[in-house]
């Protein structure tokens, strides 16, 4: 059974009807196109990369184009891809001046050394056919100048293909105004993880996701025979005891979905198909 779930971050859109509607429409389009890729190619990997690339290219999300600026006014992006069947994690941390960090994670999935950071990650991309690209948008520049008001970010996708392969992918511009060089959860196994049984992509405050080891913990519990629903509920319960603020999208090898969030978080901006229609955070 083929399945796909995507997210465009988390936060509060209460009272911002136009923004919520715009995000709903964007998520529906991206879900539809990415699911088409899943059906046509039969590849969970291709669907995840396609979905995350589209999310990175839409400036309303905090990833790729539209990434938030760090305290020194520079954009540094992070992304990861996890192949659940082959147990292969790859990613970039604080890469600069490229358009699609998820493509860098894909490229690194074929290398012996699968995670690169900072200037060396950028250099690797530029030496391997990536074009120089400025992901800063006027809106993000304005937010930075006003001390970073705006919604939370991070985008992600998890897919299951007919061959039973699960891939997860996550990409982020960070939290905005962070200490330059801060490492987000997204390009760690706390934020992005998959096995043959389940896959997870997280969104929210990176430090808290990392402290909980959220994605790898959920997947490990499913591996140990706990249902996806109970595995997510347990991580949420553990995280709520610290009043943490994050959420996640998940799916398992039977095609079950879960969208989880801690009590402190307002909502996760997700999209999936429930068999009847595309469901998002709005419907
Ligand atoms: N979850 C994204 C970040 O904290 O950077």
């Amino acid at each position: 059974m083929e399945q796909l779930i995507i997210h465009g971050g988390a936060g509060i859109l209460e009272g911002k009807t136009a923004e919520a509607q715009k995000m709903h429409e964007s998520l529906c389009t991206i879900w539809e196109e990415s699911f088409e890729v899943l059906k046509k190619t039969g590849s969970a990997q291709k669907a995840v990369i396609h979905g995350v690339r589209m999310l990175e290219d839409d400036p309303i999300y905090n990833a790729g184009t539209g990434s938030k600026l760090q305290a020194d006014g520079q954009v540094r992006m992070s992304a990861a891809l996890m192949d659940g069947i082959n147990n292969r994690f790859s990613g970039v941390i604080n890469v600069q001046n490229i358009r699609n960090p998820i493509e860098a994670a894909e490229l690194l999935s074929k290398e012996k050394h699968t995670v690169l950071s900072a200037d060396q990650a950028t250099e690797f991309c530029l030496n391997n056919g990536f074009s120089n690209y400025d992901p800063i948008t006027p809106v993000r520049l304005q937010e930075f100048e006003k001390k970073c008001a705006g919604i939370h970010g991070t985008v992600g996708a998890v897919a299951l293909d007919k061959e039973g392969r699960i891939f997860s992918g996550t990409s982020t511009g960070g939290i905005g105004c962070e200490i330059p060089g801060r490492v987000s959860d997204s390009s760690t196994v706390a934020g992005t993880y998959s096995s043959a049984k389940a896959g997870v992509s997280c969104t929210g405050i990176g430090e808290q996701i990392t402290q909980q080891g959220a994605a790898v913990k959920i997947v490990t519990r499913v591996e140990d025979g706990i249902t996806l629903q109970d595995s997510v509920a347990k991580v949420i319960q553990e995280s709520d005891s610290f009043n943490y603020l994050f959420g996640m999208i998940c799916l398992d090898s039977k095609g079950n979905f879960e969208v989880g969030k801690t009590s402190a978080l307002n909502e996760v901006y997700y999209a999936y198909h429930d068999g009847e229609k595309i469901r998002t955070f709005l419907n």
Side-chain angles (χ1 to χ4, degrees), residues 154 172 174-175 182 184-186 204-206 209:
T154 303
T172 189
I175 50 168
R182 166 194 179 258
S184 135
D185 63 288
S186 303
I205 307 291
I209 296 167

Side-chain angles (χ1 to χ4, degrees), residues 24-34 54 278:
H24 163 81
E25 280 160 23
S26 160
L27 286 171
C28 288
T29 305
I30 293 172
W31 187 92
E32 274 174 342
E33 262 205 38
S34 307
M54 281 186 83
I278 300 174

